Amino acid sequence: MARSVTNVVVALSALYTLVFGVWMWGWPQSFAEYVNFPPHEHFLHDLGAFHVGIGIALVAALVWRDAILVVLVGLATAGLIHTVNHAMDSHLGGAVSDPYVIGAQALVAVVGIVFRARHLRVSGAKEQAR
Protein backbone atom coordinates (compact mmCIF):
# COMPACT_ATOMS: atom_id res chain seq x y z
CA MET A 1 0.00 0.00 0.00
CA ALA A 2 2.76 2.47 0.94
CA ARG A 3 4.48 1.87 -2.39
CA SER A 4 1.23 2.53 -4.28
CA VAL A 5 0.64 5.79 -2.40
CA THR A 6 4.23 6.82 -3.04
CA ASN A 7 3.88 6.07 -6.76
CA VAL A 8 0.70 8.17 -6.92
CA VAL A 9 2.45 11.06 -5.16
CA VAL A 10 5.41 10.81 -7.55
CA ALA A 11 3.11 10.64 -10.60
CA LEU A 12 1.05 13.64 -9.46
CA SER A 13 4.21 15.59 -8.67
CA ALA A 14 5.57 14.76 -12.13
CA LEU A 15 2.35 15.94 -13.75
CA TYR A 16 2.35 19.16 -11.72
CA THR A 17 5.99 20.04 -12.46
CA LEU A 18 5.68 19.11 -16.14
CA VAL A 19 2.51 21.17 -16.67
CA PHE A 20 3.93 24.22 -14.95
CA GLY A 21 7.36 23.74 -16.53
CA VAL A 22 5.93 23.57 -20.04
CA TRP A 23 3.76 26.60 -19.29
CA MET A 24 6.74 28.63 -18.00
CA TRP A 25 8.87 27.59 -20.96
CA GLY A 26 6.29 27.84 -23.73
CA TRP A 27 4.24 30.81 -22.56
CA PRO A 28 6.37 32.83 -20.14
CA GLN A 29 4.27 35.99 -20.42
CA SER A 30 1.07 34.10 -19.60
CA PHE A 31 2.70 32.38 -16.64
CA ALA A 32 4.13 35.66 -15.32
CA GLU A 33 0.68 37.28 -15.51
CA TYR A 34 -1.00 34.31 -13.80
CA VAL A 35 1.37 34.31 -10.81
CA ASN A 36 1.78 38.12 -10.78
CA PHE A 37 5.51 37.68 -11.36
CA PRO A 38 7.61 40.31 -13.13
CA PRO A 39 7.93 39.07 -16.72
CA HIS A 40 11.43 38.03 -17.62
CA GLU A 41 11.31 35.73 -20.62
CA HIS A 42 14.72 34.14 -20.24
CA PHE A 43 14.47 33.41 -16.52
CA LEU A 44 11.03 31.88 -17.00
CA HIS A 45 12.42 29.77 -19.86
CA ASP A 46 15.15 28.57 -17.50
CA LEU A 47 12.69 27.94 -14.67
CA GLY A 48 10.55 25.96 -17.09
CA ALA A 49 13.57 23.93 -18.23
CA PHE A 50 14.42 22.94 -14.68
CA HIS A 51 10.81 22.11 -13.82
CA VAL A 52 10.59 19.87 -16.90
CA GLY A 53 13.89 18.22 -15.90
CA ILE A 54 12.53 17.51 -12.41
CA GLY A 55 9.25 16.23 -13.88
CA ILE A 56 11.09 13.88 -16.24
CA ALA A 57 13.26 12.67 -13.33
CA LEU A 58 10.07 11.91 -11.37
CA VAL A 59 8.68 9.94 -14.30
CA ALA A 60 12.02 8.14 -14.67
CA ALA A 61 11.87 7.20 -10.98
CA LEU A 62 8.61 5.38 -11.67
CA VAL A 63 10.27 3.44 -14.49
CA TRP A 64 13.76 2.77 -13.07
CA ARG A 65 14.82 2.17 -9.48
CA ASP A 66 18.41 3.28 -10.03
CA ALA A 67 18.96 6.70 -8.44
CA ILE A 68 22.03 7.54 -10.52
CA LEU A 69 20.24 6.84 -13.81
CA VAL A 70 17.17 8.83 -12.72
CA VAL A 71 19.24 11.86 -11.69
CA LEU A 72 21.25 11.80 -14.91
CA VAL A 73 18.04 11.65 -16.99
CA GLY A 74 16.65 14.68 -15.13
CA LEU A 75 19.94 16.58 -15.46
CA ALA A 76 20.26 15.80 -19.16
CA THR A 77 16.67 16.86 -19.83
CA ALA A 78 17.01 20.15 -17.98
CA GLY A 79 20.44 20.75 -19.51
CA LEU A 80 19.29 20.17 -23.07
CA ILE A 81 16.31 22.51 -22.67
CA HIS A 82 18.54 25.04 -20.89
CA THR A 83 20.93 24.90 -23.85
CA VAL A 84 18.05 25.65 -26.22
CA ASN A 85 17.03 28.56 -23.95
CA HIS A 86 20.42 30.17 -24.19
CA ALA A 87 20.52 29.75 -27.94
CA MET A 88 17.04 31.17 -28.55
CA ASP A 89 17.34 33.92 -25.91
CA SER A 90 20.79 35.13 -26.96
CA HIS A 91 19.23 38.45 -27.96
CA LEU A 92 18.30 38.96 -24.27
CA GLY A 93 21.89 38.81 -23.02
CA GLY A 94 24.41 36.32 -21.74
CA ALA A 95 27.72 35.20 -23.17
CA VAL A 96 28.03 33.86 -26.70
CA SER A 97 29.61 30.72 -25.20
CA ASP A 98 26.65 29.94 -22.90
CA PRO A 99 24.85 27.46 -25.19
CA TYR A 100 28.11 25.59 -25.82
CA VAL A 101 29.14 25.41 -22.17
CA ILE A 102 25.67 24.40 -20.99
CA GLY A 103 25.30 22.01 -23.92
CA ALA A 104 28.61 20.34 -23.05
CA GLN A 105 27.36 19.71 -19.51
CA ALA A 106 24.14 18.20 -20.91
CA LEU A 107 26.18 16.03 -23.26
CA VAL A 108 28.27 14.76 -20.34
CA ALA A 109 25.01 13.78 -18.59
CA VAL A 110 23.86 11.92 -21.72
CA VAL A 111 27.18 10.04 -21.85
CA GLY A 112 26.65 9.18 -18.17
CA ILE A 113 23.17 7.83 -19.00
CA VAL A 114 24.58 5.60 -21.74
CA PHE A 115 27.32 4.20 -19.52
CA ARG A 116 25.05 3.75 -16.49
CA ALA A 117 22.37 1.97 -18.55
CA ARG A 118 25.04 -0.28 -20.07
CA HIS A 119 26.42 -1.04 -16.60
CA LEU A 120 22.95 -1.90 -15.30
CA ARG A 121 22.27 -4.20 -18.28
CA VAL A 122 25.58 -6.01 -17.81
CA SER A 123 25.07 -6.28 -14.03
CA GLY A 124 21.54 -7.57 -14.57
CA ALA A 125 22.73 -10.13 -17.11
CA LYS A 126 25.43 -11.35 -14.73
CA GLU A 127 22.90 -11.60 -11.90
CA GLN A 128 20.48 -13.61 -14.07
CA ALA A 129 23.29 -15.96 -15.15
CA ARG A 130 23.95 -16.96 -11.52
Side-chain angles (χ1 to χ4, degrees), residues 13-60:
S13 298
L15 179 64
Y16 173 86
T17 57
L18 287 168
V19 165
F20 279 92
V22 168
W23 185 10
M24 288 176 222
W25 190 83
W27 299 273
Q29 184 66 36
S30 169
F31 182 83
E33 289 171 9
Y34 177 75
V35 296
N36 196 26
F37 190 77
H40 192 293
E41 187 174 358
H42 178 73
F43 288 137
L44 285 169
H45 282 158
D46 282 354
L47 192 57
F50 296 120
H51 271 74
V52 170
I54 291 168
I56 293 297
L58 287 163
V59 170

mmCIF file of all heavy atoms in Angstrom, residues 13-60:
data_model
loop_
_atom_site.group_PDB
_atom_site.id
_atom_site.type_symbol
_atom_site.label_atom_id
_atom_site.label_comp_id
_atom_site.label_asym_id
_atom_site.label_seq_id
_atom_site.Cartn_x
_atom_site.Cartn_y
_atom_site.Cartn_z
ATOM 1 N N SER A 13 3.150 14.571 -8.713
ATOM 2 C CA SER A 13 4.208 15.587 -8.669
ATOM 3 C C SER A 13 4.838 15.774 -10.047
ATOM 4 O O SER A 13 5.139 16.907 -10.457
ATOM 5 C CB SER A 13 5.283 15.188 -7.652
ATOM 6 O OG SER A 13 4.730 15.112 -6.362
ATOM 7 N N ALA A 14 5.028 14.677 -10.764
ATOM 8 C CA ALA A 14 5.565 14.761 -12.125
ATOM 9 C C ALA A 14 4.618 15.547 -13.014
ATOM 10 O O ALA A 14 5.044 16.441 -13.758
ATOM 11 C CB ALA A 14 5.797 13.356 -12.695
ATOM 12 N N LEU A 15 3.342 15.235 -12.939
ATOM 13 C CA LEU A 15 2.349 15.941 -13.751
ATOM 14 C C LEU A 15 2.355 17.433 -13.431
ATOM 15 O O LEU A 15 2.390 18.270 -14.345
ATOM 16 C CB LEU A 15 0.958 15.341 -13.511
ATOM 17 C CG LEU A 15 -0.186 15.990 -14.282
ATOM 18 C CD1 LEU A 15 -0.001 15.797 -15.785
ATOM 19 C CD2 LEU A 15 -1.520 15.410 -13.822
ATOM 20 N N TYR A 16 2.349 17.762 -12.162
ATOM 21 C CA TYR A 16 2.354 19.162 -11.716
ATOM 22 C C TYR A 16 3.585 19.903 -12.251
ATOM 23 O O TYR A 16 3.466 20.968 -12.856
ATOM 24 C CB TYR A 16 2.326 19.199 -10.180
ATOM 25 C CG TYR A 16 2.497 20.562 -9.584
ATOM 26 C CD1 TYR A 16 1.412 21.402 -9.408
ATOM 27 C CD2 TYR A 16 3.757 21.018 -9.178
ATOM 28 C CE1 TYR A 16 1.575 22.662 -8.843
ATOM 29 C CE2 TYR A 16 3.922 22.268 -8.624
ATOM 30 C CZ TYR A 16 2.826 23.088 -8.458
ATOM 31 O OH TYR A 16 2.977 24.337 -7.920
ATOM 32 N N THR A 17 4.777 19.327 -12.043
ATOM 33 C CA THR A 17 5.986 20.037 -12.463
ATOM 34 C C THR A 17 6.095 20.108 -13.982
ATOM 35 O O THR A 17 6.587 21.109 -14.513
ATOM 36 C CB THR A 17 7.269 19.413 -11.870
ATOM 37 O OG1 THR A 17 7.345 18.044 -12.240
ATOM 38 C CG2 THR A 17 7.299 19.552 -10.365
ATOM 39 N N LEU A 18 5.632 19.069 -14.679
ATOM 40 C CA LEU A 18 5.682 19.110 -16.143
ATOM 41 C C LEU A 18 4.705 20.142 -16.710
ATOM 42 O O LEU A 18 5.066 20.898 -17.621
ATOM 43 C CB LEU A 18 5.397 17.726 -16.728
ATOM 44 C CG LEU A 18 6.535 16.717 -16.570
ATOM 45 C CD1 LEU A 18 6.053 15.309 -16.898
ATOM 46 C CD2 LEU A 18 7.726 17.106 -17.425
ATOM 47 N N VAL A 19 3.495 20.190 -16.175
ATOM 48 C CA VAL A 19 2.512 21.166 -16.667
ATOM 49 C C VAL A 19 3.018 22.585 -16.439
ATOM 50 O O VAL A 19 3.034 23.413 -17.360
ATOM 51 C CB VAL A 19 1.130 20.944 -16.008
ATOM 52 C CG1 VAL A 19 0.216 22.140 -16.228
ATOM 53 C CG2 VAL A 19 0.496 19.664 -16.539
ATOM 54 N N PHE A 20 3.459 22.867 -15.224
ATOM 55 C CA PHE A 20 3.929 24.221 -14.947
ATOM 56 C C PHE A 20 5.235 24.524 -15.671
ATOM 57 O O PHE A 20 5.452 25.651 -16.128
ATOM 58 C CB PHE A 20 4.051 24.464 -13.436
ATOM 59 C CG PHE A 20 2.734 24.785 -12.800
ATOM 60 C CD1 PHE A 20 1.945 23.780 -12.263
ATOM 61 C CD2 PHE A 20 2.255 26.086 -12.782
ATOM 62 C CE1 PHE A 20 0.714 24.068 -11.699
ATOM 63 C CE2 PHE A 20 1.030 26.388 -12.229
ATOM 64 C CZ PHE A 20 0.249 25.366 -11.688
ATOM 65 N N GLY A 21 6.102 23.536 -15.800
ATOM 66 C CA GLY A 21 7.360 23.743 -16.528
ATOM 67 C C GLY A 21 7.137 24.052 -17.989
ATOM 68 O O GLY A 21 7.745 24.977 -18.542
ATOM 69 N N VAL A 22 6.244 23.308 -18.620
ATOM 70 C CA VAL A 22 5.932 23.567 -20.035
ATOM 71 C C VAL A 22 5.280 24.933 -20.182
ATOM 72 O O VAL A 22 5.579 25.681 -21.121
ATOM 73 C CB VAL A 22 5.055 22.444 -20.622
ATOM 74 C CG1 VAL A 22 4.489 22.826 -21.975
ATOM 75 C CG2 VAL A 22 5.858 21.148 -20.722
ATOM 76 N N TRP A 23 4.419 25.286 -19.247
ATOM 77 C CA TRP A 23 3.761 26.605 -19.291
ATOM 78 C C TRP A 23 4.794 27.715 -19.162
ATOM 79 O O TRP A 23 4.791 28.672 -19.936
ATOM 80 C CB TRP A 23 2.727 26.678 -18.182
ATOM 81 C CG TRP A 23 1.868 27.915 -18.150
ATOM 82 C CD1 TRP A 23 1.768 28.891 -19.099
ATOM 83 C CD2 TRP A 23 0.967 28.280 -17.107
ATOM 84 N NE1 TRP A 23 0.863 29.852 -18.705
ATOM 85 C CE2 TRP A 23 0.357 29.492 -17.482
ATOM 86 C CE3 TRP A 23 0.631 27.701 -15.896
ATOM 87 C CZ2 TRP A 23 -0.580 30.134 -16.678
ATOM 88 C CZ3 TRP A 23 -0.306 28.333 -15.098
ATOM 89 C CH2 TRP A 23 -0.909 29.543 -15.497
ATOM 90 N N MET A 24 5.702 27.598 -18.177
ATOM 91 C CA MET A 24 6.738 28.625 -17.998
ATOM 92 C C MET A 24 7.607 28.740 -19.244
ATOM 93 O O MET A 24 7.965 29.837 -19.654
ATOM 94 C CB MET A 24 7.639 28.260 -16.807
ATOM 95 C CG MET A 24 7.013 28.419 -15.470
ATOM 96 S SD MET A 24 8.181 27.832 -14.211
ATOM 97 C CE MET A 24 7.056 26.940 -13.155
ATOM 98 N N TRP A 25 7.965 27.586 -19.819
ATOM 99 C CA TRP A 25 8.867 27.590 -20.963
ATOM 100 C C TRP A 25 8.167 28.050 -22.237
ATOM 101 O O TRP A 25 8.696 28.859 -22.990
ATOM 102 C CB TRP A 25 9.462 26.189 -21.169
ATOM 103 C CG TRP A 25 10.567 26.210 -22.171
ATOM 104 C CD1 TRP A 25 11.861 26.546 -21.928
ATOM 105 C CD2 TRP A 25 10.474 25.927 -23.562
ATOM 106 N NE1 TRP A 25 12.585 26.474 -23.106
ATOM 107 C CE2 TRP A 25 11.751 26.091 -24.121
ATOM 108 C CE3 TRP A 25 9.434 25.539 -24.405
ATOM 109 C CZ2 TRP A 25 12.021 25.885 -25.462
ATOM 110 C CZ3 TRP A 25 9.704 25.329 -25.749
ATOM 111 C CH2 TRP A 25 10.987 25.504 -26.249
ATOM 112 N N GLY A 26 6.982 27.546 -22.470
ATOM 113 C CA GLY A 26 6.290 27.837 -23.728
ATOM 114 C C GLY A 26 5.559 29.166 -23.772
ATOM 115 O O GLY A 26 5.462 29.795 -24.823
ATOM 116 N N TRP A 27 5.041 29.582 -22.627
ATOM 117 C CA TRP A 27 4.238 30.810 -22.564
ATOM 118 C C TRP A 27 4.641 31.624 -21.339
ATOM 119 O O TRP A 27 3.858 31.800 -20.396
ATOM 120 C CB TRP A 27 2.753 30.452 -22.517
ATOM 121 C CG TRP A 27 2.318 29.699 -23.731
ATOM 122 C CD1 TRP A 27 1.889 30.237 -24.915
ATOM 123 C CD2 TRP A 27 2.304 28.284 -23.909
ATOM 124 N NE1 TRP A 27 1.620 29.234 -25.809
ATOM 125 C CE2 TRP A 27 1.861 28.018 -25.224
ATOM 126 C CE3 TRP A 27 2.638 27.194 -23.102
ATOM 127 C CZ2 TRP A 27 1.739 26.733 -25.725
ATOM 128 C CZ3 TRP A 27 2.520 25.910 -23.609
ATOM 129 C CH2 TRP A 27 2.066 25.702 -24.900
ATOM 130 N N PRO A 28 5.874 32.139 -21.327
ATOM 131 C CA PRO A 28 6.371 32.828 -20.135
ATOM 132 C C PRO A 28 5.551 34.055 -19.750
ATOM 133 O O PRO A 28 5.351 34.315 -18.558
ATOM 134 C CB PRO A 28 7.811 33.193 -20.496
ATOM 135 C CG PRO A 28 7.881 33.129 -21.983
ATOM 136 C CD PRO A 28 6.859 32.121 -22.407
ATOM 137 N N GLN A 29 5.066 34.794 -20.729
ATOM 138 C CA GLN A 29 4.272 35.988 -20.420
ATOM 139 C C GLN A 29 2.974 35.596 -19.710
ATOM 140 O O GLN A 29 2.591 36.212 -18.725
ATOM 141 C CB GLN A 29 3.969 36.776 -21.702
ATOM 142 C CG GLN A 29 3.228 38.073 -21.473
ATOM 143 C CD GLN A 29 4.045 39.103 -20.698
ATOM 144 O OE1 GLN A 29 5.259 39.206 -20.858
ATOM 145 N NE2 GLN A 29 3.388 39.863 -19.845
ATOM 146 N N SER A 30 2.306 34.575 -20.206
ATOM 147 C CA SER A 30 1.068 34.097 -19.603
ATOM 148 C C SER A 30 1.312 33.614 -18.173
ATOM 149 O O SER A 30 0.543 33.921 -17.261
ATOM 150 C CB SER A 30 0.475 32.962 -20.448
ATOM 151 O OG SER A 30 -0.571 32.316 -19.773
ATOM 152 N N PHE A 31 2.387 32.870 -17.977
ATOM 153 C CA PHE A 31 2.695 32.376 -16.636
ATOM 154 C C PHE A 31 2.987 33.543 -15.697
ATOM 155 O O PHE A 31 2.498 33.569 -14.565
ATOM 156 C CB PHE A 31 3.882 31.405 -16.659
ATOM 157 C CG PHE A 31 4.183 30.837 -15.307
ATOM 158 C CD1 PHE A 31 3.466 29.752 -14.835
ATOM 159 C CD2 PHE A 31 5.163 31.389 -14.505
ATOM 160 C CE1 PHE A 31 3.717 29.229 -13.572
ATOM 161 C CE2 PHE A 31 5.427 30.880 -13.246
ATOM 162 C CZ PHE A 31 4.701 29.793 -12.780
ATOM 163 N N ALA A 32 3.792 34.496 -16.153
ATOM 164 C CA ALA A 32 4.129 35.659 -15.321
ATOM 165 C C ALA A 32 2.867 36.420 -14.913
ATOM 166 O O ALA A 32 2.736 36.838 -13.758
ATOM 167 C CB ALA A 32 5.098 36.579 -16.064
ATOM 168 N N GLU A 33 1.951 36.589 -15.833
ATOM 169 C CA GLU A 33 0.685 37.277 -15.510
ATOM 170 C C GLU A 33 -0.133 36.480 -14.503
ATOM 171 O O GLU A 33 -0.691 37.039 -13.570
ATOM 172 C CB GLU A 33 -0.127 37.507 -16.783
ATOM 173 C CG GLU A 33 0.467 38.551 -17.700
ATOM 174 C CD GLU A 33 -0.220 38.618 -19.057
ATOM 175 O OE1 GLU A 33 -1.273 37.972 -19.245
ATOM 176 O OE2 GLU A 33 0.323 39.308 -19.940
ATOM 177 N N TYR A 34 -0.199 35.162 -14.685
ATOM 178 C CA TYR A 34 -0.999 34.310 -13.800
ATOM 179 C C TYR A 34 -0.504 34.365 -12.354
ATOM 180 O O TYR A 34 -1.296 34.432 -11.428
ATOM 181 C CB TYR A 34 -0.982 32.867 -14.308
ATOM 182 C CG TYR A 34 -1.728 31.916 -13.417
ATOM 183 C CD1 TYR A 34 -3.122 31.888 -13.401
ATOM 184 C CD2 TYR A 34 -1.043 31.041 -12.581
ATOM 185 C CE1 TYR A 34 -3.811 31.011 -12.582
ATOM 186 C CE2 TYR A 34 -1.721 30.159 -11.761
ATOM 187 C CZ TYR A 34 -3.102 30.152 -11.763
ATOM 188 O OH TYR A 34 -3.774 29.282 -10.943
ATOM 189 N N VAL A 35 0.825 34.329 -12.173
ATOM 190 C CA VAL A 35 1.373 34.314 -10.811
ATOM 191 C C VAL A 35 1.763 35.708 -10.327
ATOM 192 O O VAL A 35 2.341 35.851 -9.248
ATOM 193 C CB VAL A 35 2.582 33.354 -10.698
ATOM 194 C CG1 VAL A 35 2.163 31.928 -10.944
ATOM 195 C CG2 VAL A 35 3.717 33.773 -11.612
ATOM 196 N N ASN A 36 1.454 36.729 -11.132
ATOM 197 C CA ASN A 36 1.779 38.115 -10.781
ATOM 198 C C ASN A 36 3.283 38.247 -10.506
ATOM 199 O O ASN A 36 3.711 38.801 -9.504
ATOM 200 C CB ASN A 36 0.955 38.592 -9.583
ATOM 201 C CG ASN A 36 0.987 40.103 -9.451
ATOM 202 O OD1 ASN A 36 1.191 40.821 -10.424
ATOM 203 N ND2 ASN A 36 0.803 40.585 -8.236
ATOM 204 N N PHE A 37 4.059 37.707 -11.436
ATOM 205 C CA PHE A 37 5.506 37.677 -11.357
ATOM 206 C C PHE A 37 6.036 38.641 -12.407
ATOM 207 O O PHE A 37 5.484 38.703 -13.502
ATOM 208 C CB PHE A 37 5.957 36.244 -11.677
ATOM 209 C CG PHE A 37 7.404 35.957 -11.412
ATOM 210 C CD1 PHE A 37 7.864 35.755 -10.123
ATOM 211 C CD2 PHE A 37 8.307 35.850 -12.467
ATOM 212 C CE1 PHE A 37 9.195 35.449 -9.879
ATOM 213 C CE2 PHE A 37 9.640 35.550 -12.235
ATOM 214 C CZ PHE A 37 10.079 35.348 -10.932
ATOM 215 N N PRO A 38 7.070 39.413 -12.100
ATOM 216 C CA PRO A 38 7.608 40.305 -13.131
ATOM 217 C C PRO A 38 8.035 39.487 -14.354
ATOM 218 O O PRO A 38 8.737 38.485 -14.206
ATOM 219 C CB PRO A 38 8.826 40.952 -12.470
ATOM 220 C CG PRO A 38 8.652 40.739 -11.013
ATOM 221 C CD PRO A 38 7.810 39.506 -10.850
ATOM 222 N N PRO A 39 7.592 39.877 -15.528
ATOM 223 C CA PRO A 39 7.927 39.072 -16.715
ATOM 224 C C PRO A 39 9.411 39.199 -17.080
ATOM 225 O O PRO A 39 9.921 40.296 -17.238
ATOM 226 C CB PRO A 39 7.042 39.662 -17.815
ATOM 227 C CG PRO A 39 6.751 41.057 -17.363
ATOM 228 C CD PRO A 39 6.782 41.036 -15.855
ATOM 229 N N HIS A 40 10.058 38.085 -17.128
ATOM 230 C CA HIS A 40 11.428 38.029 -17.620
ATOM 231 C C HIS A 40 11.525 36.741 -18.419
ATOM 232 O O HIS A 40 11.665 35.648 -17.857
ATOM 233 C CB HIS A 40 12.449 38.052 -16.487
ATOM 234 C CG HIS A 40 13.839 38.288 -16.990
ATOM 235 N ND1 HIS A 40 14.514 37.377 -17.765
ATOM 236 C CD2 HIS A 40 14.660 39.356 -16.849
ATOM 237 C CE1 HIS A 40 15.705 37.855 -18.076
ATOM 238 N NE2 HIS A 40 15.822 39.051 -17.532
ATOM 239 N N GLU A 41 11.434 36.876 -19.720
ATOM 240 C CA GLU A 41 11.309 35.733 -20.617
ATOM 241 C C GLU A 41 12.403 34.681 -20.403
ATOM 242 O O GLU A 41 12.114 33.493 -20.272
ATOM 243 C CB GLU A 41 11.314 36.220 -22.066
ATOM 244 C CG GLU A 41 11.029 35.148 -23.071
ATOM 245 C CD GLU A 41 10.909 35.702 -24.488
ATOM 246 O OE1 GLU A 41 11.008 36.933 -24.687
ATOM 247 O OE2 GLU A 41 10.715 34.870 -25.386
ATOM 248 N N HIS A 42 13.644 35.115 -20.351
ATOM 249 C CA HIS A 42 14.720 34.136 -20.240
ATOM 250 C C HIS A 42 14.680 33.388 -18.906
ATOM 251 O O HIS A 42 14.830 32.160 -18.871
ATOM 252 C CB HIS A 42 16.099 34.773 -20.434
ATOM 253 C CG HIS A 42 17.192 33.774 -20.273
ATOM 254 N ND1 HIS A 42 17.446 32.802 -21.222
ATOM 255 C CD2 HIS A 42 18.052 33.544 -19.253
ATOM 256 C CE1 HIS A 42 18.429 32.026 -20.795
ATOM 257 N NE2 HIS A 42 18.812 32.461 -19.603
ATOM 258 N N PHE A 43 14.489 34.092 -17.813
ATOM 259 C CA PHE A 43 14.474 33.412 -16.521
ATOM 260 C C PHE A 43 13.293 32.451 -16.419
ATOM 261 O O PHE A 43 13.415 31.374 -15.825
ATOM 262 C CB PHE A 43 14.476 34.407 -15.366
ATOM 263 C CG PHE A 43 15.798 35.109 -15.204
ATOM 264 C CD1 PHE A 43 15.851 36.470 -14.954
ATOM 265 C CD2 PHE A 43 17.005 34.418 -15.314
ATOM 266 C CE1 PHE A 43 17.070 37.115 -14.806
ATOM 267 C CE2 PHE A 43 18.226 35.052 -15.173
ATOM 268 C CZ PHE A 43 18.254 36.410 -14.915
ATOM 269 N N LEU A 44 12.168 32.805 -17.002
ATOM 270 C CA LEU A 44 11.034 31.876 -17.003
ATOM 271 C C LEU A 44 11.299 30.690 -17.921
ATOM 272 O O LEU A 44 10.899 29.560 -17.612
ATOM 273 C CB LEU A 44 9.747 32.600 -17.372
ATOM 274 C CG LEU A 44 9.196 33.468 -16.237
ATOM 275 C CD1 LEU A 44 8.081 34.374 -16.734
ATOM 276 C CD2 LEU A 44 8.725 32.619 -15.076
ATOM 277 N N HIS A 45 12.002 30.908 -19.024
ATOM 278 C CA HIS A 45 12.421 29.772 -19.864
ATOM 279 C C HIS A 45 13.304 28.826 -19.042
ATOM 280 O O HIS A 45 13.116 27.605 -19.071
ATOM 281 C CB HIS A 45 13.194 30.252 -21.093
ATOM 282 C CG HIS A 45 12.327 30.790 -22.175
ATOM 283 N ND1 HIS A 45 12.804 31.650 -23.132
ATOM 284 C CD2 HIS A 45 11.016 30.573 -22.479
ATOM 285 C CE1 HIS A 45 11.828 31.964 -23.963
ATOM 286 N NE2 HIS A 45 10.731 31.321 -23.584
ATOM 287 N N ASP A 46 14.271 29.396 -18.326
ATOM 288 C CA ASP A 46 15.153 28.569 -17.498
ATOM 289 C C ASP A 46 14.380 27.850 -16.406
ATOM 290 O O ASP A 46 14.578 26.655 -16.166
ATOM 291 C CB ASP A 46 16.267 29.413 -16.875
ATOM 292 C CG ASP A 46 17.393 29.726 -17.847
ATOM 293 O OD1 ASP A 46 17.389 29.195 -18.979
ATOM 294 O OD2 ASP A 46 18.281 30.516 -17.464
ATOM 295 N N LEU A 47 13.499 28.557 -15.728
ATOM 296 C CA LEU A 47 12.692 27.937 -14.669
ATOM 297 C C LEU A 47 11.851 26.798 -15.248
ATOM 298 O O LEU A 47 11.733 25.726 -14.645
ATOM 299 C CB LEU A 47 11.802 28.992 -14.003
ATOM 300 C CG LEU A 47 11.111 28.605 -12.716
ATOM 301 C CD1 LEU A 47 12.106 28.156 -11.659
ATOM 302 C CD2 LEU A 47 10.296 29.785 -12.196
ATOM 303 N N GLY A 48 11.303 27.007 -16.422
ATOM 304 C CA GLY A 48 10.545 25.957 -17.093
ATOM 305 C C GLY A 48 11.423 24.762 -17.420
ATOM 306 O O GLY A 48 11.023 23.609 -17.228
ATOM 307 N N ALA A 49 12.640 25.015 -17.898
ATOM 308 C CA ALA A 49 13.567 23.926 -18.235
ATOM 309 C C ALA A 49 13.846 23.068 -17.012
ATOM 310 O O ALA A 49 13.824 21.831 -17.090
ATOM 311 C CB ALA A 49 14.874 24.503 -18.784
ATOM 312 N N PHE A 50 14.092 23.700 -15.884
ATOM 313 C CA PHE A 50 14.423 22.937 -14.683
ATOM 314 C C PHE A 50 13.203 22.216 -14.119
ATOM 315 O O PHE A 50 13.324 21.094 -13.616
ATOM 316 C CB PHE A 50 15.117 23.827 -13.661
ATOM 317 C CG PHE A 50 16.436 24.328 -14.180
ATOM 318 C CD1 PHE A 50 16.688 25.679 -14.310
ATOM 319 C CD2 PHE A 50 17.422 23.438 -14.601
ATOM 320 C CE1 PHE A 50 17.892 26.132 -14.826
ATOM 321 C CE2 PHE A 50 18.626 23.879 -15.115
ATOM 322 C CZ PHE A 50 18.870 25.233 -15.229
ATOM 323 N N HIS A 51 12.029 22.813 -14.231
ATOM 324 C CA HIS A 51 10.809 22.107 -13.824
ATOM 325 C C HIS A 51 10.574 20.874 -14.708
ATOM 326 O O HIS A 51 10.212 19.811 -14.202
ATOM 327 C CB HIS A 51 9.586 23.041 -13.897
ATOM 328 C CG HIS A 51 9.332 23.790 -12.638
ATOM 329 N ND1 HIS A 51 10.108 24.842 -12.241
ATOM 330 C CD2 HIS A 51 8.384 23.625 -11.691
ATOM 331 C CE1 HIS A 51 9.643 25.312 -11.090
ATOM 332 N NE2 HIS A 51 8.596 24.577 -10.733
ATOM 333 N N VAL A 52 10.760 21.019 -16.002
ATOM 334 C CA VAL A 52 10.594 19.873 -16.904
ATOM 335 C C VAL A 52 11.626 18.793 -16.565
ATOM 336 O O VAL A 52 11.294 17.602 -16.526
ATOM 337 C CB VAL A 52 10.676 20.301 -18.388
ATOM 338 C CG1 VAL A 52 10.742 19.081 -19.294
ATOM 339 C CG2 VAL A 52 9.475 21.173 -18.753
ATOM 340 N N GLY A 53 12.861 19.194 -16.289
ATOM 341 C CA GLY A 53 13.888 18.222 -15.899
ATOM 342 C C GLY A 53 13.504 17.462 -14.640
ATOM 343 O O GLY A 53 13.654 16.235 -14.570
ATOM 344 N N ILE A 54 12.983 18.170 -13.644
ATOM 345 C CA ILE A 54 12.531 17.511 -12.410
ATOM 346 C C ILE A 54 11.349 16.589 -12.707
ATOM 347 O O ILE A 54 11.289 15.462 -12.221
ATOM 348 C CB ILE A 54 12.171 18.551 -11.334
ATOM 349 C CG1 ILE A 54 13.437 19.266 -10.847
ATOM 350 C CG2 ILE A 54 11.437 17.891 -10.161
ATOM 351 C CD1 ILE A 54 13.167 20.504 -10.014
ATOM 352 N N GLY A 55 10.415 17.057 -13.527
ATOM 353 C CA GLY A 55 9.251 16.232 -13.881
ATOM 354 C C GLY A 55 9.661 14.956 -14.595
ATOM 355 O O GLY A 55 9.151 13.871 -14.301
ATOM 356 N N ILE A 56 10.609 15.065 -15.519
ATOM 357 C CA ILE A 56 11.091 13.884 -16.236
ATOM 358 C C ILE A 56 11.830 12.947 -15.273
ATOM 359 O O ILE A 56 11.696 11.717 -15.356
ATOM 360 C CB ILE A 56 11.977 14.285 -17.434
ATOM 361 C CG1 ILE A 56 11.136 15.006 -18.498
ATOM 362 C CG2 ILE A 56 12.713 13.084 -18.012
ATOM 363 C CD1 ILE A 56 10.030 14.157 -19.115
ATOM 364 N N ALA A 57 12.582 13.504 -14.326
ATOM 365 C CA ALA A 57 13.258 12.669 -13.331
ATOM 366 C C ALA A 57 12.229 11.919 -12.477
ATOM 367 O O ALA A 57 12.422 10.742 -12.155
ATOM 368 C CB ALA A 57 14.169 13.521 -12.452
ATOM 369 N N LEU A 58 11.128 12.584 -12.131
ATOM 370 C CA LEU A 58 10.072 11.913 -11.365
ATOM 371 C C LEU A 58 9.451 10.771 -12.165
ATOM 372 O O LEU A 58 9.214 9.683 -11.636
ATOM 373 C CB LEU A 58 9.003 12.924 -10.944
ATOM 374 C CG LEU A 58 9.420 13.894 -9.826
ATOM 375 C CD1 LEU A 58 8.475 15.093 -9.786
ATOM 376 C CD2 LEU A 58 9.464 13.180 -8.497
ATOM 377 N N VAL A 59 9.209 11.005 -13.442
ATOM 378 C CA VAL A 59 8.682 9.941 -14.298
ATOM 379 C C VAL A 59 9.705 8.802 -14.396
ATOM 380 O O VAL A 59 9.353 7.619 -14.288
ATOM 381 C CB VAL A 59 8.318 10.476 -15.706
ATOM 382 C CG1 VAL A 59 8.000 9.343 -16.659
ATOM 383 C CG2 VAL A 59 7.154 11.453 -15.614
ATOM 384 N N ALA A 60 10.970 9.153 -14.577
ATOM 385 C CA ALA A 60 12.019 8.139 -14.669
ATOM 386 C C ALA A 60 12.089 7.305 -13.393
ATOM 387 O O ALA A 60 12.346 6.098 -13.449
ATOM 388 C CB ALA A 60 13.367 8.805 -14.966
#
